[in-house]
Amino acid sequence: MFRSRSKEEKAPTDKVTADLSKQPRDPQAPKGRPTPKRSDSQSQRRRASSGAPLDRKEAMKRQREARRADLARQREALANGDERYLPVRDKGPVRRFVRDYVDSRFCVAEFFLPMAVIILVLSVIQVRNIQNISLLLWLFVIVLIVVDSVGLSFRLKKQLKERFPDTPKRGAVAYGLMRTLQMRRLRLPKPQVKRGERP
């Protein structure tokens, strides 16, 4: 009476349900799933019509493509100085002036890398006098860079106060000093003024 059915008794019902699933469903018969809420179905229809991604994979793919396009625009802007697509740290009239001010003059700091390579080569040579010269040269270069950077920062602060009295200038001088450490041809955004040309 309370026995479980055997496998032979269960098998015919499986066949019947498989046969029923192949047949067209009667419109009056229950559909076997709950009816979706109106708000859910409307939002799904709206999403389909607006072109928004339906699944997570599609959304990630679109996001990746958008990011790639943004980076390409940013790279192009860094090359030609287009203000609209520059990174946030390079945007604005203050940052543009700082870049032009730094690019218009010679700075000792921009020659730091080539000089460091020369000093390193001299220090490797196993001659006592040459090693001493390389040490003195190293100290001389560092002192020159510090003096030049301090002078540049004072002049830059003065120019910024005159030209942009009401604009926030936080980090502008440090931004200029960091730019002096890069060789002119490697600077990004690319220099827009020639040497000696005042911004």
Side-chain angles (χ1 to χ4, degrees), residues 47-154:
R47 204 180 304 136
S49 64
S50 70
L54 294 171
D55 61 338
R56 190 166 172 263
K57 205 172 188 180
E58 179 69 24
M60 291 295 284
K61 187 181 175 186
R62 286 190 189 183
Q63 197 175 4
R64 252 195 319 272
E65 286 171 3
R67 198 178 310 125
R68 206 172 290 136
D70 284 347
L71 284 172
R73 272 200 302 266
Q74 206 173 79
R75 235 177 283 119
E76 198 176 318
L78 286 169
N80 62 24
D82 188 356
E83 207 50 50
R84 292 172 299 169
Y85 303 115
L86 284 175
V88 178
R89 62 167 190 168
D90 298 313
K91 275 186 180 174
V94 173
R95 296 294 167 111
R96 185 179 182 90
F97 173 76
V98 169
R99 285 197 303 273
D100 291 348
Y101 189 82
V102 168
D103 295 337
S104 67
R105 59 193 65 239
F106 279 99
C107 298
V108 180
E110 71 182 275
F111 302 108
F112 172 74
L113 280 176
M115 286 189 286
V117 171
I118 292 165
I119 291 166
L120 191 67
V121 168
L122 288 174
S123 66
V124 170
I125 298 168
Q126 296 296 320
V127 177
R128 188 84 176 157
N129 288 338
I130 293 175
Q131 286 183 340
N132 288 340
I133 289 168
S134 71
L135 270 173
L136 286 170
L137 199 59
W138 189 244
L139 284 169
F140 180 68
V141 166
I142 288 172
V143 169
L144 263 180
I145 289 172
V146 168
V147 169
D148 187 45
S149 299
V150 168
L152 179 73
S153 62
F154 277 121

